[in-house]
Amino acid sequence: MNKYRSVLSIFLLAASCGSASTGYAADPEALRMLMNKRGEWVALRQSNPSLFVDLKKAKLDDANLKGANLSNVSLVRAELSGANLDKANLQRSDLSMAFIKKADLKETDLDESTLVKANLKNSFMKGASLRKANLQGANLRWAILENADLSQANLSGTVLFETSLQNANLKGSNFKGATFLDKADLNGALVSNNTITPSGEKASGSWASIRNARFVREPESAPPVYAVHPEPVFLTAPAPQNPEQTVKPASQNRAKQQELLVADVESWNDMRQQNPEMPVVLKAEKLEDAELKGVNLKKAAMAGSDFEDANLDDAVMEDGDFSGSNFQKADMKGAKLHGAKLHKANFDRAFLKGADLSGTDLTGANLYGAMLSEANLRGANLTGASLFDADLEEADLSGAVLKDTSMMDANLNNAVITPETVLPSGKTATADWAVQRGAIFRKP
């Protein structure tokens, strides 16, 4: 696809996921009925089952929605982690980019639903029905899908690390481009000649046998057409807004940015290249497990965002504001963070080998167990930071400020220290201090 057309298509997708008329949030009346007036909700669904209700970005973490009728509902980017959705009806609903980690979905009906790029990590989906569901790019790491019906489901590009697919129905499922399928458990799963393997080829008896799956031959069939959802509607018209409350074009742009960033890094980078001065304001964004390798977040305002377990290898984050953000266990090899604001950011066990952190504000940051070997920390301010058990082998700490920094068990072997480096004591570094820790003391 032409890259400019790709950008346009993603923006159109973003616009459809968050129109100005709905303010990029769930319909408050629908949410009130679902959570507090279940009888009214049931009556609404029975009287108008085809109504496509707007609950996008709804905060439903840990909610008890067991058996609820959520068919034909927009739950785009909704928060459903830890929720009980056992035996719920989610037929033809749109859960694109929803957070559904550690949720209970036992025997849930998700037929013809859309779960594109949804995060279903650790979810319990035993016996769930996902016939003709679109799970393209979804995270199914450690999900339990035993006895689930995934016939003709689109699983292209999904993450299937240690996913349990025991005795699941995979006839006609599309796994093209899926990762870690060989790490998944397919014992007893039902595979057919219409099942598409990660290589793009059709499954065979030998392919199934190697994975302890069962193989059946069925009539050749074309891939199904996956659901296209209508624009969701509010149950009641939104209250009149004064000029200060009206959704501004800038707010619409931020919503489009959110969708584009998580949907397509290549298109995002094309957009940034074409519009280098466009401000990126995405504070408190949820990007756990996101695939953001090489993403351009230069000068982005993303304070308080969550990048836990995300792939940010080679990301460009120079001069950005990521204060208070969570990078726990994130992959950030070779990331470019020069001049970034990282005050009180959490880099617990993050992998920052070879990263450029020169001139950064890392005051009060948590770098417990972080891999910082070969990292550039020239002139970085680490006042009050924790470097407990951090690996700083061959890191460049020239002129870095380490005042009040906790460095217990930190590895400084062959790290570069200069007379301008400020020690945890507040004094400037000496050759003796460096040598005692296996570091290299280098004079200008």
Side-chain angles (χ1 to χ4, degrees), residues 385-405:
S386 173
L387 284 163
F388 178 77
D389 204 31
D391 188 346
L392 290 152
E393 185 165 355
E394 298 185 18
D396 189 346
L397 291 160
S398 303
V401 179
L402 302 169
K403 185 180 179 181
D404 299 324
T405 297

Side-chain angles (χ1 to χ4, degrees), residues 128 130-131 135 140 145-155 158 160 163-175 181 184-198 203 207-208 211-216 218:
L130 293 123
R131 288 175 295 182
L135 294 117
L140 292 162
L145 284 153
E146 296 172 11
N147 300 108
D149 188 350
L150 288 148
S151 53
Q152 294 192 294
N154 182 9
L155 291 143
T158 51
L160 296 163
T163 305
S164 178
L165 292 161
Q166 288 186 30
N167 300 311
N169 182 354
L170 305 177
K171 292 195 298 182
S173 299
N174 181 5
F175 289 98
L181 183 60
D185 185 356
L186 273 69
N187 190 45
L190 191 61
V191 173
S192 78
N193 52 296
N194 289 316
T195 302
I196 306 299
T197 67
W207 186 92
R211 293 160 180 81
N212 294 320
R214 296 172 290 152
F215 182 79
V216 295
E218 58 182 353

Side-chain angles (χ1 to χ4, degrees), residues 6 39-40 62 73 80 121 177 181 214 253 291 300 302 417 430:
S6 176
E40 292 182 19
D62 302 311
V73 171
L80 288 157
K121 186 176 176 181
L181 183 60
R214 296 172 290 152
N253 287 337
E291 180 55 54
M302 298 187 71
I417 305 292
T430 63

Side-chain angles (χ1 to χ4, degrees), residues 41-80:
W41 177 264
V42 171
L44 169 71
R45 301 326 315 272
Q46 290 177 341
S47 63
N48 198 341
S50 62
L51 183 69
F52 201 62
V53 182
D54 196 327
L55 287 177
K56 65 174 164 285
K57 289 193 175 182
K59 304 295 184 182
L60 294 164
D61 315 55
D62 302 311
N64 183 6
L65 299 168
K66 184 176 181 178
N69 184 352
L70 293 163
S71 61
N72 292 309
V73 171
S74 174
L75 286 157
V76 173
R77 293 176 66 83
E79 299 278 357
L80 288 157

Side-chain angles (χ1 to χ4, degrees), residues 74-115:
S74 174
L75 286 157
V76 173
R77 293 176 66 83
E79 299 278 357
L80 288 157
S81 294
N84 184 348
L85 289 156
D86 288 346
K87 299 184 178 181
N89 179 1
L90 284 152
Q91 284 188 19
R92 297 176 300 281
S93 286
D94 189 354
L95 294 114
S96 299
M97 294 173 279
F99 297 90
I100 322 174
K101 297 193 295 184
K102 297 182 180 179
D104 291 319
L105 293 126
K106 184 179 179 181
E107 299 180 18
T108 302
D109 189 346
L110 288 148
D111 289 349
E112 298 183 54
S113 62
T114 301
L115 290 147

